[in-house]
Amino acid sequence: MADTSRDGERSEAEEAIMRATYRALCEHGYADLTMRAIAEEYGKTTAAIHYHYETKDDLLVALLEYLLDRFVAHVHDVETTGPEARLEALLDTLISERTDDHDLLVAILEMRAQAPYDEAMRDQLVHNDEYLRYLLRTVVADGVEQGVFAADVDPSRAAETLMTFVDGARTRFVVSGDPDVLRHAREAADRYVADALDAE
Amino acid sequence: MADTSRDGERSEAEEAIMRATYRALCEHGYADLTMRAIAEEYGKTTAAIHYHYETKDDLLVALLEYLLDRFVAHVHDVETTGPEARLEALLDTLISERTDDHDLLVAILEMRAQAPYDEAMRDQLVHNDEYLRYLLRTVVADGVEQGVFAADVDPSRAAETLMTFVDGARTRFVVSGDPDVLRHAREAADRYVADALDAE
């Protein structure tokens, strides 16, 4: 599970295709996404994409990996002092109130709903989730070790509870489109940290 | 929001169509659901269904209402003594560990991911969510009034936090298929009730 992210293994073309896929997905949504739309964003032919990614499914699985890499790079950039501040930074990124994320979160929820029908997509979604839980678990475990979180906290369980919050908030935001959902979930996560994790 | 459920307003034929739609949806999933598959489950022609429901979308919106009615009837049947036991019963039903619910939860997640593209579906999903939050809020407010929950608890916010848990657990269960996800979320909800709601 300490499987590292594969940032840097992409060629320049693959990076550009990922950015094009990202933009096309946000614009068209998962169900209406076509190779043609991605090629238009990429500014080249669909054949140029097929050279790197055989099917639309391959592209979307690769995109999920790309999004995880971006997330990991983003949180590595955040300079923080202790486990509490690092947990805060992770939660800020996982439950961001940026309403311009709505299109992306819609597309991700479509992919999640697709997971039971698509093994490659499910495997990548499960991998992403495991990696996010690994990041949360490590921060919580460091906090327990340093005495800022209570000694009886189970880091794995705490990470899973926090991801349940994150996923609930995202699902609810997709359906309602109401950014208050994210703000309130972020507050509830803080409340959970204060009540269930913080050392007295 | 105290909008009552419309149980009993359905004709016998409509009840039978709802049960057939439910079975067909669990078997085929949302994307592959056809009027023909529903008609097969119903044991009549698609015309017999169209007489009551014009489109597949009408049927699915009606099904969401039917599922809410079933939920409300089920929780009304549960004889409980105080707010804590009633909250427990609601959470038991909302985060049930019945793995045979997986097909239905997959279909519901597909409908949720569809919400941004389908106004009628979004409205019904938002209605269902509002009704569930209303049930939770009422129980929490009763508990605050009776002194079993702390006086400073905000019943609306507590209901929203609990629904975020429920929705997170369901989304995660759809993707992973792992029933532990539901069990752990149920335990985390109990922990939230003990830490954030219970009067000292």
Side-chain angles (χ1 to χ4, degrees):
Chain A
M1 238 321 29
D3 189 0
T4 54
S5 107
R6 294 170 226 172
D7 197 24
E9 282 182 27
R10 270 172 222 104
S11 68
E12 214 169 291
E14 284 166 349
E15 279 283 336
I17 294 170
M18 286 297 102
R19 287 194 299 272
T21 306
Y22 176 91
R23 289 193 304 269
L25 184 66
C26 288
E27 191 179 339
H28 301 282
Y30 168 82
D32 291 334
L33 184 68
T34 59
M35 288 298 254
R36 181 173 297 275
I38 298 166
E40 258 169 48
E41 289 287 346
Y42 183 38
K44 301 201 178 177
T45 62
T46 54
I49 296 173
H50 282 300
Y51 178 81
H52 299 275
Y53 303 94
E54 220 167 302
T55 65
K56 195 177 89 171
D57 202 52
D58 290 341
L59 258 178
L60 290 173
V61 169
L63 182 72
L64 288 172
E65 196 181 25
Y66 171 78
L67 291 173
L68 179 63
D69 288 343
R70 280 211 328 181
F71 178 87
V72 171
H74 176 75
V75 294
H76 276 193
D77 286 349
V78 178
E79 289 288 334
T80 49
T81 44
E84 275 182 307
R86 272 158 58 211
L87 181 55
E88 187 92 2
L90 276 172
L91 290 174
D92 278 342
T93 314
L94 287 166
I95 318 181
S96 73
E97 262 180 75
R98 291 174 37 211
T99 47
D100 55 349
D101 285 345
H102 190 256
D103 292 339
L104 177 65
L105 292 175
V106 171
I108 289 175
L109 195 67
E110 290 181 88
M111 290 193 254
R112 295 178 128 186
Q114 203 55 31
Y117 308 105
D118 183 330
E119 202 180 332
M121 190 160 282
R122 183 181 63 239
D123 288 351
Q124 187 63 46
L125 285 164
V126 166
H127 172 79
N128 284 23
D129 175 64
E130 281 174 348
Y131 198 85
L132 296 178
R133 278 189 288 129
Y134 155 77
L135 291 176
L136 288 165
R137 189 171 70 235
T138 305
V139 170
V140 173
D142 285 355
V144 170
E145 208 175 286
Q146 295 176 32
V148 292
F149 295 141
D152 65 348
V153 166
D154 175 340
S156 292
R157 201 55 83 80
E160 190 180 352
T161 298
L162 288 168
M163 280 310 295
T164 304
F165 261 124
V166 169
D167 290 336
R170 289 175 166 197
T171 298
R172 295 176 64 73
F173 178 52
V174 166
V175 175
S176 71
D178 178 1
D180 276 354
V181 161
L182 299 175
R183 192 163 55 81
H184 293 169
R186 184 70 189 80
E187 288 169 11
D190 279 342
R191 174 80 196 240
Y192 169 77
V193 171
D195 284 346
L197 302 191
D198 281 352
E200 300 304 273
Chain B
M1 235 330 14
D3 188 0
T4 54
S5 105
R6 293 167 225 172
D7 197 26
E9 281 183 26
R10 271 173 221 102
S11 68
E12 214 167 293
E14 285 165 350
E15 278 283 336
I17 294 170
M18 285 296 102
R19 287 194 299 271
T21 305
Y22 176 90
R23 289 193 304 269
L25 184 66
C26 287
E27 191 180 340
H28 301 281
Y30 168 81
D32 291 334
L33 185 67
T34 59
M35 288 301 253
R36 182 173 296 275
I38 299 166
E40 259 169 45
E41 288 288 345
Y42 184 38
K44 301 200 179 178
T45 62
T46 53
I49 296 173
H50 282 301
Y51 178 79
H52 298 276
Y53 303 95
E54 220 167 301
T55 65
K56 195 176 89 171
D57 201 52
D58 290 342
L59 258 178
L60 289 174
V61 169
L63 182 72
L64 287 172
E65 196 180 27
Y66 170 79
L67 291 173
L68 179 64
D69 288 343
R70 279 211 328 180
F71 178 87
V72 171
H74 176 76
V75 294
H76 276 193
D77 286 350
V78 178
E79 289 287 334
T80 49
T81 45
E84 275 183 307
R86 270 160 58 214
L87 181 55
E88 187 93 4
L90 276 171
L91 291 174
D92 278 342
T93 314
L94 287 167
I95 317 180
S96 73
E97 263 181 75
R98 289 175 39 210
T99 48
D100 56 347
D101 285 344
H102 190 256
D103 292 340
L104 178 65
L105 292 176
V106 171
I108 289 175
L109 194 67
E110 290 181 88
M111 289 192 256
R112 294 178 128 186
Q114 203 53 34
Y117 308 105
D118 183 332
E119 202 179 334
M121 190 159 284
R122 184 181 63 239
D123 288 350
Q124 187 65 46
L125 284 165
V126 167
H127 172 80
N128 284 23
D129 176 64
E130 282 175 348
Y131 198 85
L132 296 178
R133 279 190 288 129
Y134 155 77
L135 291 176
L136 287 166
R137 189 171 70 234
T138 305
V139 169
V140 174
D142 286 356
V144 171
E145 208 176 286
Q146 294 175 32
V148 294
F149 296 141
D152 65 348
V153 166
D154 176 340
S156 293
R157 202 53 83 81
E160 190 180 352
T161 298
L162 288 168
M163 281 310 296
T164 304
F165 261 125
V166 169
D167 290 336
R170 289 174 166 197
T171 298
R172 296 176 63 73
F173 178 53
V174 166
V175 175
S176 70
D178 179 0
D180 276 355
V181 161
L182 299 176
R183 192 163 55 81
H184 294 169
R186 183 70 188 78
E187 288 168 13
D190 279 343
R191 173 81 197 238
Y192 170 76
V193 170
D195 283 346
L197 301 191
D198 281 352
E200 300 303 274

